[in-house]
Amino acid sequence: MIKESFLKVDNKITDALKSGKAIVALESTIITHGMPYPQNLEMAREVEQVVRDNGAVPATIAIMGGQMRAGLSEGDLERLAKEGASAAKASRRDMAAILATKKMAGTTVATTMQICALAGIKIFATGGIGGVHRGASETFDISADLNEFSKTPVGVVCAGAKSILDIAKTLEVLETNGVPVIGYGTDFFPAFYLRKTGFLVDQNFETPEQIAKMLDVQWQLKMGGVLIANPIPVENEMDKSEIDRYISQALSEAEKRNITGKDITPFLLKSIFEMSNGKSLKANIALVKNNAKVAAKIALAMTKQ
Ligand code: PSU
Ligand code: MN
């Protein structure tokens, strides 16, 4: 049994859980390592507001002061955003050490799922998940996010995965891990800045109610996480040849500088933002908000079944 002192659930979230309100969790590596300050803080606040506007209670997840936190105050959100990449990036294996040393950390998809499960939150929204990196046959670089889905019963709404990753291998690993990949109104797995890749999702569900029903069955069966892929809005989609150019430049720069391990994803994101003069950052913020909206609708539908 976990000692209560390692987990601090905000009062608003505890009340929402007790009264059966819809709750949407939000990850925080996107705040600390995914975007620069102050856009990260602005994005974090706006995304919380999108969740509220769509009838749910937002719970931003992070690790602060030796505690896993579900639901942050305005002041904590600001501290986290200002700390940025000086905060740790907590994936599953980092959790115990970060709690023991009371470091501040942004949580990845994997650790956000873990904390959601401990707090009793079923749905969370993010930008993109980690996956199998290109060149993984040599580097073995496969995000711990993919393994987390196999065991932790949380629905993750994302815009697919960026093509900084090997999408085909990412989908194969998800299949091996028994992870359902659901499309929200799409037959194709989306590629973050682009509405579709050439790869199919397992199921295309047109409504939040259908997804809520599927999640209910998944968890009655005591199965793990579900990936819900929600394409970027049409008006925010980027040009494929433009984004492909930035990605391949960022990848070759990373190779030149020998950047590996947990630093690779933040490095690639930052390079792409810089090369696109902030255009990709704008698209990134738009898709996170869109995911928060869909997550709130699913969370709401779950309270009504
Ligand atoms: N992909 C993105 N933006 C992000 C991340 C991934 O497009 O911000 C973050 C998420 O928090 C994800 C983590 O869980 O990076 C994966 O890191 P790694 O590949 O080191 O496991
Ligand atoms: Mn990795």
Side-chain angles (χ1 to χ4, degrees):
M1 184 62 194
I2 191 154
K3 278 198 209 157
E4 198 188 338
S5 62
F6 289 129
L7 176 67
K8 185 175 169 195
V9 181
D10 186 79
N11 287 341
K12 279 194 202 113
I13 308 303
T14 309
D15 291 348
L17 283 164
K18 275 192 199 136
S19 56
K21 277 198 198 136
I23 304 172
V24 173
L26 302 159
E27 70 136 311
S28 53
T29 292
I30 195 176
I31 303 173
T32 54
H33 292 72
M35 290 181 194
Y37 179 82
Q39 288 97 329
N40 60 350
L41 178 59
E42 213 173 297
M43 180 275 311
R45 285 178 179 148
E46 286 175 9
V47 171
E48 286 199 350
Q49 194 53 45
V50 169
V51 172
R52 287 186 202 102
D53 291 346
N54 286 278
V57 180
T60 299
I61 307 282
I63 304 177
M64 297 176 99
Q67 288 183 309
M68 299 178 276
R69 304 275 304 272
L72 298 185
S73 67
E74 176 61 29
D76 285 339
L77 202 61
E78 196 171 331
R79 276 205 299 141
L80 191 73
K82 278 199 174 142
E83 190 79 7
S86 314
K89 171 180 163 186
S91 194
R92 175 172 258 269
R93 69 162 178 189
D94 309 302
M95 191 75 111
I98 287 171
L99 289 172
T101 56
K102 299 194 183 339
K103 279 200 190 119
M104 194 188 294
T107 49
T108 62
V109 168
T111 43
T112 305
M113 289 175 80
Q114 279 185 271
I115 298 171
C116 280
L118 291 169
I121 302 170
K122 291 290 179 198
I123 296 285
F124 104 73
T126 181
I129 55 157
V132 181
H133 281 264
R134 296 195 197 179
S137 54
E138 281 300 313
T139 63
F140 276 39
D141 190 347
I142 302 173
S143 174
D145 289 354
L146 299 186
N147 200 28
E148 197 65 43
F149 275 94
S150 67
K151 50 192 165 227
T152 308
V154 175
V156 180
V157 182
C158 69
K162 282 198 181 72
S163 38
I164 55 174
L165 300 172
D166 186 323
I167 308 274
K169 290 193 179 71
T170 298
L171 290 170
E172 287 296 342
V173 171
L174 287 167
E175 184 191 0
T176 305
N177 287 352
V179 181
V181 177
I182 301 303
Y184 178 58
T186 181
D187 289 324
F188 295 96
F189 190 69
F192 207 79
Y193 302 116
L194 305 170
R195 286 181 57 81
K196 49 174 151 167
T197 59
F199 303 101
L200 295 170
V201 294
D202 306 329
Q203 291 289 329
N204 173 4
F205 286 125
E206 296 290 340
T207 68
E209 289 72 24
Q210 287 170 330
I211 295 177
K213 180 71 205 162
M214 182 272 175
L215 293 175
D216 182 45
V217 176
Q218 169 88 353
W219 296 329
Q220 284 190 52
L221 299 176
K222 303 269 181 259
M223 289 172 71
V226 175
L227 200 160
I228 301 151
N230 179 36
I232 185 170
V234 181
E235 61 274 21
N236 302 108
E237 190 175 30
M238 290 183 71
D239 179 68
K240 182 168 178 353
S241 60
E242 187 187 354
I243 195 69
D244 284 351
R245 201 171 62 237
Y246 300 144
I247 288 171
S248 58
Q249 277 179 33
L251 284 165
S252 64
E253 192 60 33
E255 203 180 318
K256 245 193 264 163
R257 296 203 209 172
N258 204 16
I259 292 167
T260 55
K262 68 196 298 175
D263 297 331
I264 185 98
T265 302
F267 175 82
L268 294 172
L269 297 180
K270 187 162 175 272
S271 308
I272 295 166
F273 290 156
E274 284 166 5
M275 280 186 281
S276 70
N277 285 321
K279 209 158 132 191
S280 70
L281 180 56
K282 225 175 127 203
N284 198 342
I285 293 170
L287 67 84
V288 176
K289 285 188 188 170
N290 189 42
N291 294 341
K293 181 168 115 189
V294 170
K297 288 183 176 173
I298 296 169
L300 211 59
M302 286 175 74
T303 65
K304 293 185 179 145
Q305 43 188 12

